[in-house]
Amino acid sequence: MKNMTDFPSQAPLLEVTGLETAFEIDGELYNAVDGVSFNVKPKQVLGVVGESGCGKSVMSLSIMQLLPKGIGKIRNGQITFNGQSLEKLDDKKMNKIRGKDIGMIFQEPMTSLNPVFTIGFQLAESLHNHFKLSKKEARGKVIELLDQVGISRPERVVDEYPHQLSGGMRQRVMIAMAIACKPKLLIADEPTTALDVTVQAQILELLQGLQETNDMAIILITHDLGVVAETCHEVLVMYAGEVVERADVVTLFENPKHPYTELLMRSIPRLDEEEEKLASIEGIVPSLKNMPRQGCKFVDRCPKAMEECRTITPRLSENLPGHEVRCLLYETSWNREGMSAK
Ligand SMILES: Nc1ncnc2c1ncn2[C@@H]1O[C@H](COP(=O)(O)OP(=O)(O)O)[C@@H](O)[C@H]1O
Ligand SMILES: [Mg+2]
């Protein structure tokens, strides 16, 4: 596991503060991301974990300013990248940052490969968006990139079409595209979810290698805590649009605090126990319209829920230095504030 002491007091590369992103449903706004704050330091790998529907993708789309227009919007908060407020930039300026300074690999078809163009053409296009290169130079650079992401015989693959490649190879090409301009930050939203376990491991290894050679920070989004163990320095656990726990990776695995994190730990698939059925967490993440308005959002699924959890809204508070938890079990002040505990 990786050590957070590699990142002493460096200024953050990305700073997200109080981010609230809402969708309009039947004329009303509902927060899919509800007051999320975090930092990413240069070269840091931050894991963002949580079940499907917890707001991970909406959070990354918010950073990239790629929310569906007229449907989703940032209501509150600041997103500062390299000292620039991204939420204030116009499309043109944001386009310059996207791909060049911040790369992304998303699962959504929007960023997947176009079946009618060769790999080389598509990769060259992303280079041309940001650099002036001759055709020959671009081809050379594309071959170099394919090689860098571990594609063998790149001089052949450059002229092939996406359907001629395996899923793992296609994901490598997507990664090549995302890192073509050497971004300082890569956002990888479930980059291995669609791949089988062996290929998953290879892709994670590739990302880690690239993080080191390119001195790149990564936000690695996944629903699988197992994926973050080897790859990340720090982890945010998200539930229902909120951060419920934040810690460095060693602390989180050795000493998980939030009952949700504990349950996620128990549902990590283990290679050596293929027979054993995964303990999945009972119940579902509440939909935006059914989000509890007060109390803890996890209360209905929490094995440790107390009566007070329905009425007192837990705050994200520091349990130990650098370890934050949003749970009444670890809040010492709630019963002293007049909301008597039984
Ligand atoms: N375009 C949209 N319109 C309305 N609700 C949306 C839209 N996209 C996402 N949501 C809702 O926002 C919440 C968070 O979704 P998402 O960020 O995709 O979750 P995750 O990536 O963690 O699986 C979910 O409740 C989802 O239904
Ligand atoms: Mg998602």
Side-chain angles (χ1 to χ4, degrees):
M1 281 190 194
K2 295 193 173 183
N3 206 319
M4 269 302 283
T5 51
D6 301 348
F7 303 94
S9 49
Q10 284 184 59
L13 177 65
L14 176 76
E15 220 173 340
V16 175
T17 317
L19 178 67
E20 281 180 45
T21 304
F23 288 104
E24 193 176 320
I25 306 168
D26 305 332
E28 256 194 84
L29 285 175
Y30 295 89
N31 280 2
V33 173
D34 199 9
V36 167
S37 301
F38 63 91
N39 284 335
V40 184
K41 303 263 176 99
K43 305 184 213 174
Q44 184 189 350
V45 185
L46 175 74
V48 179
V49 205
E51 291 163 291
S52 176
C54 284
K56 307 181 299 297
S57 293
V58 173
M59 185 194 79
S60 43
L61 292 173
S62 306
I63 296 171
M64 300 303 293
Q65 310 291 316
L66 285 175
L67 292 163
K69 285 219 161 69
I71 303 170
K73 73 166 197 189
I74 297 178
R75 284 172 112 173
N76 265 313
Q78 284 93 44
I79 302 165
T80 311
F81 177 77
N82 242 346
Q84 256 184 320
S85 296
L86 298 189
E87 78 280 5
K88 290 188 189 130
L89 295 184
D90 58 29
D91 276 354
K92 209 173 146 207
K93 290 205 172 112
M94 195 59 217
N95 259 331
K96 276 198 177 157
I97 289 182
R98 253 181 247 133
K100 177 129 196 330
D101 298 309
I102 309 181
M104 51 181 174
I105 327 166
F106 285 164
Q107 283 263 284
E108 274 78 87
M110 151 191 120
T111 47
S112 64
L113 297 162
N114 190 327
V116 303
F117 296 116
T118 64
I119 301 301
F121 180 87
Q122 297 185 57
L123 264 166
E125 207 179 24
S126 46
L127 286 169
H128 285 310
N129 283 340
H130 298 287
F131 298 115
K132 281 203 171 71
L133 293 170
S134 71
K135 260 195 165 163
K136 205 174 151 202
E137 284 168 332
R139 189 182 169 87
K141 181 88 178 100
V142 165
I143 291 175
E144 207 178 286
L145 274 167
L146 291 174
D147 184 54
Q148 204 191 351
V149 296
I151 288 181
S152 48
R153 289 187 297 171
E155 54 297 309
R156 204 170 123 178
V157 173
V158 68
D159 296 317
E160 289 184 337
Y161 290 86
H163 75 266
Q164 292 174 277
L165 308 180
S166 68
M169 292 262 276
R170 278 201 290 263
Q171 191 57 301
R172 284 177 194 270
V173 172
M174 298 295 295
I175 294 171
M177 239 177 220
I179 61 151
C181 302
K182 292 222 169 173
K184 297 183 195 75
L185 173 67
L186 177 71
I187 301 179
D189 189 354
E190 309 261 4
T192 61
T193 302
L195 306 171
D196 68 51
V197 178
T198 347
V199 183
Q200 270 190 25
Q202 290 164 2
I203 295 288
L204 289 174
E205 208 171 295
L206 168 66
L207 285 175
Q208 253 184 299
L210 289 170
Q211 181 266 320
E212 280 161 29
T213 51
N214 287 12
D215 282 344
M216 178 172 75
I218 302 181
I219 299 179
L220 179 65
I221 297 172
T222 171
H223 62 266
D224 180 356
L225 250 182
V227 165
V228 311
E230 299 300 325
T231 324
C232 301
H233 299 101
E234 195 180 16
V235 190
L236 293 182
V237 181
M238 280 184 75
Y239 187 76
E242 296 177 327
V243 174
V244 297
E245 186 157 6
R246 180 185 71 84
D248 69 86
V249 70
V250 178
T251 305
L252 192 89
F253 275 82
E254 280 178 359
N255 192 12
K257 295 274 184 203
H258 200 285
Y260 182 58
T261 312
E262 288 178 332
L263 289 173
L264 282 180
M265 297 267 177
R266 272 189 239 155
S267 59
I268 296 177
R270 303 220 350 218
L271 284 176
D272 52 333
E273 287 176 18
E274 261 174 66
E275 298 295 309
E276 196 178 312
K277 263 204 127 188
L278 274 181
S280 65
I281 308 173
E282 253 177 69
I284 53 162
V285 181
S287 69
L288 298 185
K289 283 184 91 166
N290 295 317
M291 210 55 88
R293 301 254 160 165
Q294 62 168 358
C296 172
K297 291 176 176 173
F298 188 57
V299 65
D300 285 329
R301 306 173 71 190
C302 182
K304 296 183 177 169
M306 309 174 286
E307 233 177 277
E308 290 75 16
C309 299
R310 296 199 178 272
T311 48
I312 305 174
T313 306
R315 288 174 302 198
L316 187 66
S317 46
E318 204 155 61
N319 186 257
L320 286 167
H323 191 172
E324 294 178 333
V325 193
R326 187 191 296 279
C327 176
L328 285 190
L329 287 173
Y330 305 98
E331 255 185 61
T332 47
S333 57
W334 60 273
N335 50 5
R336 280 188 242 127
E337 285 172 358
M339 311 199 190
S340 66
K342 284 195 185 149

